[in-house]
Amino acid sequence: MKVPFLGDTLEYMRSPVDWARDRYDRFGPVSTVPMFAVRMTVALGPDATEEVLLNRDKAFSNGGGWERFIGPFFHRGLLLLDFDEHLHHRRIMQQAFLPARLGAYRERMTPAVARELASWPVSARFEAYPAVREMIFNLTSEVLTGSGLGAEADEVNRLFEACLRASTGAVRFRFPGLSWSRGLAARRRLETIFGAWVAERRAAGGPADNLLSMLCAAATDDGDRFTAQDVVNHMILLLLAARDTSTIALSTIMYYLARHPEWQQRCREDGSALELVRKEALRLAPPLPHLVRRVVRPTSVLGHPLAVGSYVQTIPQFNHHMHELWTNPMAFDPMRFSEERAEDKVHRYAWLPFGGGVHKCIGMHFAGMVVDAVMRELLERFEWSVEAGYEIPWNRRGLPFPADGLPVRLTSRHRSHGIAPAH
Ligand code: HEM
């Protein structure tokens, strides 16, 4: 049964791939359906995805699309800027993501990874997802904002959570005490805290081994720099863009390696196997399963006209599961990414966990660095498994995450630690 206002939302959230497959078979790659309380045109498959993401006639707005879903809490972050202004900001931000910078972030992160994982208790029932989330929050706080923030770092985490809860909550209007108003208040407080940090960093300089200092200092060859308010806006969006995506990616890799112990062992022995597994996990469970845009000038996708003001959604997760593109797409098979098989090369928009076009993830290599640093240490310290037949029950309100916390049996590879009894 459909709830009129929500349209197909619940069916979609239950199983995005099955829902999209049904539409694709019945209506083809482009069709319009009421969902998420708007009339949504869904652009399915690699050709339709390519037209939307390449956005050749600048008809699709990112800001207009995402603002509807994540609210005003991440206002003027890079993801929400459009066209020339977006390009201008992206050129400056790019300076903070150059390979040499990533090396500095990696150096800062490596000892922190060991410290974080040393606190994981071996256990017959260890909830991996909340532990990964906490670890990623700590690691990214360190690399995004620099150390020495102490109690303020905790406050930033709390405020950020309030923004996140408000942006994914069901209640979407301002009323004292409700999550939307709490989110707006949290955003204001975040602006004050980050504003003070920016002033401090700009006055005193400091080591360029964290993103905040880098954004304060970043300048293009033409001398363009961010204003203090720009840095604040970008930092708040970066927290959103970096943390939950990396947490989901890592949790999913852990899940597949738990279900496939032969791959777990292979990754321990051969670093290149980990790369194949990372790609396969991002194919099966992309942290951003769909991308949304709003039409700002009359246009069409594969010949289907779209009206100004309407919304368009591409679903990378569907492309990742199309039997037209992949052999046995539901199966975990990292070798499909090997040079010999290279199934992802069949179409540029067959595999796109980081999106495509001008808004393609600017933190893609940063994310690779985080995942790599954590997985290597994890594989060295621990072995983990799940019960036979276990499958993640995904919660798809907001970004997808394991509703049960992803319980694993975690054992130490170093004999001195015993297994604690299950609680
Ligand atoms: C596995 C982890 C990650 C995944 C799967 C991921 C995925 C994506 C995707 C699909 C987009 C495009 C959104 C769109 O077109 O509407 C995007 C954009 C973005 N990502 Fe990531 N991301 C990850 C990690 C990160 C990290 C670690 C950072 C920063 C340190 C980051 C920063 C950004 C930013 C700033 C944008 C907006 C880019 C723009 O609009 O020009 N992401 N990400």
Side-chain angles (χ1 to χ4, degrees):
M1 195 191 78
K2 289 195 202 310
V3 181
F5 182 62
L6 291 175
D8 270 28
T9 311
L10 298 179
E11 283 87 345
Y12 172 77
M13 278 166 48
R14 204 166 296 128
S15 175
V17 173
D18 292 339
W19 178 87
R21 167 51 66 188
D22 177 59
R23 284 205 77 76
Y24 188 84
D25 289 346
R26 283 196 294 147
F27 306 109
V30 185
S31 61
T32 301
V33 58
M35 64 193 293
F36 298 121
V38 298
R39 279 189 72 69
M40 182 69 82
T41 296
V42 277
L44 299 171
D47 293 331
T49 305
E50 180 167 17
E51 273 201 25
V52 175
L53 296 190
L54 286 188
N55 197 8
R56 286 205 175 87
D57 51 359
K58 297 193 173 165
F60 302 115
S61 154
N62 250 50
W66 280 116
E67 177 118 9
R68 163 109 209 153
F69 290 86
I70 59 178
F73 311 100
F74 304 98
H75 178 62
R76 291 192 60 77
L78 189 66
L79 179 71
L80 297 156
L81 297 180
D82 277 307
F83 313 128
D84 290 348
E85 189 183 29
H86 167 257
L87 198 66
H88 174 74
H89 281 247
R90 184 155 171 135
R91 279 209 186 107
I92 305 176
M93 194 184 283
Q94 198 71 57
Q95 307 300 314
F97 287 94
L98 296 174
R101 308 283 179 232
L102 291 186
Y105 304 149
R106 184 196 304 270
E107 258 178 47
R108 167 151 218 154
M109 182 172 285
T110 307
V113 172
R115 202 175 60 227
E116 289 288 331
L117 286 179
S119 71
W120 279 21
V122 289
S123 164
R125 194 179 190 288
F126 177 72
E127 290 200 358
Y129 172 74
V132 169
R133 190 163 195 265
E134 191 184 331
M135 170 174 58
I136 290 296
F137 267 47
N138 292 340
L139 293 176
T140 49
S141 287
E142 184 140 349
V143 183
L144 260 61
T145 59
S147 66
L149 305 174
E152 269 189 329
D154 292 341
E155 188 185 0
V156 166
N157 279 344
R158 274 200 312 278
L159 294 167
F160 173 74
E161 291 285 354
C163 288
L164 207 57
R165 254 196 311 279
S167 71
T168 55
V171 178
R172 303 180 79 80
F173 57 85
R174 200 188 286 234
F175 191 80
L178 294 185
S179 66
W180 193 263
S181 299
R182 281 205 296 270
L184 290 173
R187 162 89 200 194
R188 281 194 299 277
R189 176 79 186 123
L190 275 178
E191 288 190 9
T192 307
I193 295 177
F194 277 117
W197 290 350
V198 171
E200 228 171 76
R201 302 284 164 99
R202 284 220 154 137
D209 61 355
N210 65 85
L211 215 75
L212 177 59
S213 296
M214 279 310 308
L215 292 185
C216 288
T220 63
D221 291 345
D222 303 329
D224 291 335
R225 301 179 68 195
F226 286 137
T227 65
Q229 185 61 46
D230 290 337
V231 177
V232 169
N233 293 336
H234 288 313
M235 283 304 301
I236 296 173
L237 187 279
L238 279 167
L239 291 178
L240 174 75
R243 291 173 159 192
D244 285 277
T245 50
S246 307
T247 300
I248 295 163
L250 269 168
S251 305
T252 314
I253 295 171
M254 277 191 77
Y255 164 64
Y256 284 110
L257 289 183
R259 286 185 47 168
H260 301 275
E262 71 289 2
W263 274 99
Q264 194 176 131
Q265 190 49 28
R266 205 164 154 179
C267 288
R268 256 179 216 111
E269 290 159 6
D270 171 9
S272 60
L274 183 54
E275 173 68 10
L276 300 178
V277 167
R278 191 171 67 87
K279 287 185 170 170
E280 180 67 336
L282 285 170
R283 180 186 72 84
L284 287 161
L288 269 180
H290 60 249
L291 310 175
V292 65
R293 305 287 189 259
R294 190 158 197 196
V295 179
V296 289
R297 61 170 68 168
T299 188
S300 63
V301 176
L302 300 184
H304 293 252
L306 299 180
V308 171
S310 60
Y311 289 86
V312 189
Q313 187 189 21
T314 64
I315 309 181
Q317 190 169 12
F318 175 64
N319 297 14
H320 291 183
H321 286 82
M322 289 178 75
H323 57 73
E324 294 87 342
L325 303 173
W326 307 89
T327 48
N328 200 2
M330 299 300 166
F332 174 79
D333 176 11
M335 288 310 287
R336 65 173 84 246
F337 288 97
S338 64
E339 269 178 38
E340 302 75 54
R341 286 175 56 195
E343 290 188 11
D344 53 320
K345 300 287 186 292
V346 64
H347 192 295
R348 276 179 62 190
Y349 288 83
W351 185 79
L352 66 153
F354 296 101
V358 293
H359 286 278
K360 186 168 181 177
C361 181
I362 201 170
M364 184 170 76
H365 298 297
F366 185 105
M369 182 263 290
V370 175
V371 167
D372 203 58
V374 171
M375 283 313 303
R376 278 173 203 279
E377 188 70 25
L378 200 59
L379 287 159
E380 164 58 31
R381 280 175 186 262
F382 299 109
E383 285 174 10
W384 61 96
S385 56
V386 283
E387 280 182 13
Y390 171 81
E391 285 185 23
I392 288 186
W394 291 104
N395 179 325
R396 295 195 174 87
R397 264 189 67 189
L399 294 189
F401 69 93
D404 61 353
L406 179 52
V408 301
R409 180 183 175 85
L410 189 72
T411 57
S412 170
R413 296 185 63 237
H414 306 285
R415 286 208 189 97
S416 55
H417 306 109
I419 281 253
H423 297 294

